[in-house]
Amino acid sequence: MSDEQPQPTPRPERGRHLSAPVTRRALALVAIGAVLAAIATIFLAGGFDRGEKLPVHTNGVGPQPTGAVAGDAFGSATTGDCLTWSEADASDLGQVDCAQPHQFEVATDVDLSLYPGTEFGPGAKFPGVLRFSELRDEQCAPAVNTYLNGRFDPKGKFSVGLINPGEAGWSAGERTIRCGLQFSGVTGALLPIQGLVAQQDQSKTWNVATCVGINQNVPSDPVDCTQPHAFEVVGVIDLASQFPGGMPSVEDQDRFLEKACTDASTGYLGSPDVLRDKTLTLFWDNLDLDSWLVGSRKINCSIGKEVDGSGFATIVGSAKGEILINGQAPVPPPTAPDGRSAPTPLPGAAPLPGA
C-alpha cells in the first residue's frame, strides 16, 4: 500500500497583481511537478491511483478481508472510513476517527476479481503504474463524485486517490482496492485532512501565516517561514460575505478583493507601508464556476515578489520581520517629497504624478 498523488490542482499563484506570463508559467510547472511526483510515488511504493465500472460496495458490505499481508485496517476499510499512516510504504496503515488528522477518506471499495477476463484473476501480475492510473480514473473519480453527492470540487484542495493492497497483498490473492479522497501537495506528499470532506469548504486555501515553498522559481508545498519560500499567506477571504447569490464575475471578484486583500495585508503586517518597504507584491486567487457550483467560496490573499517575468523570487523569513529576497535584504524605494510613502502602482495602472 502506498500513495500516488493524482491530478494536481494547486494554483495559489493565480493572482491579480502578478503578470499573466508568470502566472501561466507557474501554474504549468506546478501541474507538471505534481504529475511527476505522483508517477514516481506509485512506481516506488505501488499504491495510490486515480478515478467500465466494476461492482462497488457500500454500507459496509464488501469482500471479507483476508487479514493477510495488507492488514486488517486496509482489508476492512469501507465507505466513510478514514485512514492514516506514518511509514513511507504505509505499512503501519490504521483507521482513525475522521475528526482526527488523516491522509485518506474512503469513498468505496472495488473488487477487481470481478473484472471481466483474466487480467486480475488468480496468479495475475501486479498491475503497473499506468494501469493503476487508469483504474483510478475509471473507478475512483465517479465513485468519489457519487460519495459527495455530486459536490466534488475538481480544482479544490482535495484529489481523488486509490489504495491498492501492494505487491505482497496482491501475491496473496487480495484484489480489492479502496477509492477515496486525499489532500495532495505539489511535491507528491500527502498533507493531513481533518474532518469529513463533505462537511467542509473544498477551496484550495492555506491558513493565514502559511509560507509556501519554492522550487526553481515555482511554488511548492508549505514550509516554515524561516525556510526558502515563494509567498506568504496574509488572508483568507470568504466571497460569500459579499456575494451571497450567484457566482460573481472575475472582474467583480477583483473589485471586492482588491480592498479586502489590502485590508488583510495591512492587518497582518501591521502597517500599509511594510509591503512597499519590503518590495513585495499583493496578489490573490479567483474562483471559477466549477468550484462555485459545488460550494467553494474561499480564496487566499498572498504576498511575494516576481522575478523578471519568469517566476517568484526566493524569500527567507516572514514579512512580519526581517526578510531576505534572493539572499539580499530588500531596499525600500524612495519616499515621496513630502515624506509620505509613494505607493507601488498596480500593473497596468497609470504612472504616479511626476513619475
Side-chain angles (χ1 to χ4, degrees):
M1 292 169 294
S2 56
D3 49 15
E4 188 261 37
Q5 319 325 315
Q7 296 175 342
T9 50
R11 60 194 195 295
E13 63 281 15
R14 193 176 77 188
R16 296 293 95 197
H17 292 173
L18 288 179
S19 69
V22 171
T23 296
R24 285 194 294 269
R25 177 177 180 273
L27 282 170
L29 293 179
V30 166
I32 292 170
V35 169
L36 292 177
I39 293 173
T41 305
I42 184 175
F43 178 76
L44 293 174
F48 278 90
D49 295 89
R50 64 179 171 189
E52 209 158 289
K53 288 246 190 182
L54 301 182
V56 298
H57 308 281
T58 57
N59 301 321
V61 178
Q64 294 298 310
T66 65
V69 181
D72 291 340
F74 173 79
S76 62
T78 190
T79 303
D81 287 339
C82 291
L83 305 175
T84 189
W85 58 90
S86 58
E87 298 296 331
D89 63 355
S91 58
D92 60 341
L93 182 147
Q95 293 187 30
V96 296
D97 189 296
C98 292
Q100 302 301 314
H102 55 273
Q103 286 102 319
F104 196 85
E105 180 179 336
V106 179
T108 194
D109 50 75
V110 179
D111 186 356
L112 294 180
S113 69
L114 301 177
Y115 199 93
T118 61
E119 181 181 8
F120 305 125
K125 182 179 178 181
F126 185 66
V129 174
L130 294 180
R131 187 66 181 115
F132 272 125
S133 294
E134 291 171 352
L135 290 169
R136 180 184 57 193
D137 289 335
E138 296 166 359
Q139 303 295 325
C140 296
V144 162
N145 200 47
T146 298
Y147 173 66
L148 293 178
N149 295 317
R151 298 183 67 81
F152 172 63
D153 185 350
K155 298 180 181 178
K157 69 168 64 175
F158 302 110
S159 53
V160 178
L162 176 157
I163 310 180
N164 68 57
E167 291 195 54
W170 189 271
S171 296
E174 298 178 10
R175 293 293 185 271
T176 301
I177 58 175
R178 264 74 191 178
C179 296
L181 290 148
Q182 57 197 35
F183 183 8
S184 307
V186 174
T187 62
L190 289 185
L191 305 176
I193 302 172
Q194 194 158 354
L196 291 169
V197 171
Q199 297 174 359
Q200 53 190 294
D201 189 303
Q202 297 178 44
S203 304
K204 180 68 174 181
T205 56
W206 304 108
N207 293 332
V208 173
T210 297
C211 287
V212 174
I214 190 167
N215 182 13
Q216 298 182 346
N217 293 354
V218 175
S220 59
D221 292 342
V223 296
D224 188 279
C225 290
T226 60
Q227 301 300 310
H229 56 272
F231 61 85
E232 184 172 356
V233 177
V234 298
V236 179
I237 306 297
D238 188 347
L239 290 177
S241 64
Q242 178 70 15
F243 306 103
M247 178 187 164
S249 67
V250 170
E251 293 74 19
D252 286 342
Q253 290 182 48
D254 286 345
R255 278 190 286 270
F256 168 64
L257 291 171
E258 182 167 349
K259 182 179 187 304
C261 285
T262 298
D263 290 346
S265 174
T266 298
Y268 180 77
L269 298 174
S271 166
D273 296 329
V274 174
L275 198 66
R276 169 191 175 276
D277 291 345
K278 295 186 176 177
T279 68
L280 299 174
T281 299
L282 174 66
F283 63 101
W284 54 81
D285 305 330
N286 290 112
L287 286 177
D288 62 17
L289 185 60
D290 287 343
S291 296
W292 188 271
L293 289 176
V294 298
S296 295
R297 295 291 186 271
K298 297 179 181 179
I299 64 91
N300 275 146
C301 308
S302 306
I303 54 177
K305 186 176 180 67
E306 182 180 347
V307 176
D308 300 328
S310 61
F312 287 86
T314 298
I315 301 172
V316 175
S318 169
K320 285 186 169 184
E322 299 300 318
I323 65 170
L324 296 177
I325 302 178
N326 288 338
Q328 302 293 321
V331 178
T335 56
D338 61 2
R340 293 176 298 173
S341 297
T344 302
L346 301 180
L352 294 172

